[in-house]
Amino acid sequence: KNQVEQSPQSLIILEGKNCTLQCNYTVSPFSNLRWYKQDTGRGPVSLTIMTFSENTKSNGRYTATLDADTKQSSLHITASQLSDSASYICVVSARNNRLAFGKGNQVVVIP
Amino acid sequence: GAGVSQSPSNKVTEKGKDVELRCDPISGHTALYWYRQRLGQGLEFLIYFQGNSAPDKSGLPSDRFSAERTGESVSTLTIQRTQQEDSAVYLCASSLEGGKTTPLHFGNGTRLTVT
């Protein structure tokens, strides 16, 4: 079983609308959680990192949350733009430095 | 500044041939990773280099796969006797300190097609 599960697998949203992506993990002991954005044909790019003590962090229109007790994170996209169409990958780092990747949330923003 | 560079960007090869993929990491990054991404799938860990330590090869799917890294610079991933199932995008990433709190910086990958 994958240590990092993301949902929904894919979604289509209208330009200007908001959406929330979910990441549940079982990685232990936990070090940090990072969200990456992967545009089609490109490598993933880091959006934000969440450490154990952080509950929420924003990067422009992206806001990540972390609940270390329930081992859940979310990535909220506000006022979506066409350029937000991408795969969003949740990556959890364990204290032994092993990285566990989710399969990604595929987001398609339509005009 | 220069990011992670991978070459070639695309490679088409016949089944049974050997291929070599190259990764130039960001200068000063001690950690280097190789991942495989099949169409529509998540990233699959292959191998991890950290400084002069022995590489973590636990993700290599078979003995047809091997990788080398010269010091803290260029890395090559070699696939021998390629099979159609090897068709995928191969992504390389580098980071400071093995990505403990620093992000992975990915290249744009090499798209390998085995015919």
Side-chain angles (χ1 to χ4, degrees):
Chain A
K1 180 172 169 64
N2 197 15
Q3 290 184 297
V4 180
E5 298 284 351
Q6 293 187 243
S7 62
Q9 182 177 355
S10 63
L11 75 161
I12 300 173
I13 58 174
L14 290 174
E15 185 179 12
K17 297 296 185 181
N18 305 334
C19 70
T20 299
L21 314 176
Q22 299 290 343
C23 174
N24 296 340
Y25 62 92
T26 58
V27 173
S28 181
F30 171 85
S31 176
N32 60 69
L33 182 149
R34 198 179 284 276
W35 284 93
Y36 286 82
K37 179 187 179 190
Q38 185 176 23
D39 293 315
T40 301
R42 307 297 294 268
V45 175
S46 177
L47 290 176
T48 186
I49 182 173
M50 305 293 290
T51 57
F52 187 86
S53 60
E54 295 175 310
N55 298 120
T56 184
K57 183 178 288 185
S58 292
N59 177 5
R61 294 179 298 100
Y62 299 104
T63 299
T65 66
L66 174 67
D67 185 333
D69 291 331
T70 61
K71 299 187 177 180
Q72 295 179 324
S73 176
S74 67
L75 182 69
H76 185 77
I77 305 175
T78 302
S80 60
Q81 300 178 358
L82 297 179
S83 60
D84 293 332
S85 294
S87 178
Y88 293 84
I89 303 170
C90 177
V91 182
V92 182
S93 177
R95 289 199 202 135
N96 62 3
N97 207 32
R98 287 296 179 99
L99 299 176
F101 283 73
K103 293 185 177 181
N105 306 100
Q106 186 67 46
V107 174
V108 176
V109 181
I110 58 175
Chain B
V4 175
S5 177
Q6 292 188 245
S7 61
S9 55
N10 282 282
K11 176 71 176 179
V12 180
T13 189
E14 292 181 353
K15 178 182 173 181
K17 300 286 187 183
D18 298 351
V19 295
E20 191 171 279
L21 313 181
R22 177 186 170 106
C23 173
D24 285 86
I26 293 173
S27 178
H29 281 193
T30 59
L32 186 147
Y33 299 77
W34 282 98
Y35 292 92
R36 178 169 69 179
Q37 187 174 34
R38 291 194 167 110
L39 185 64
Q41 300 297 310
L43 274 71
E44 177 187 359
F45 168 74
L46 296 177
I47 189 168
Y48 163 54
F49 296 90
Q50 173 59 59
N52 295 319
S53 301
D56 177 355
K57 303 180 181 180
S58 60
L60 294 178
S62 76
D63 58 9
R64 296 187 296 107
F65 288 73
S66 63
E68 293 184 350
R69 187 181 186 192
T70 306
E72 294 184 354
S73 61
V74 172
S75 176
T76 55
L77 176 69
T78 302
I79 309 174
Q80 296 177 311
R81 305 181 301 282
T82 53
Q83 304 294 313
Q84 288 185 330
E85 68 207 40
D86 299 334
S87 296
V89 174
Y90 290 82
L91 288 163
C92 173
S94 71
S95 74
L96 293 169
E97 300 178 78
K100 292 174 185 175
T101 57
T102 56
L104 300 185
H105 295 263
F106 285 86
N108 287 329
T110 294
R111 180 175 298 278
L112 175 66
T113 303
V114 182
T115 62

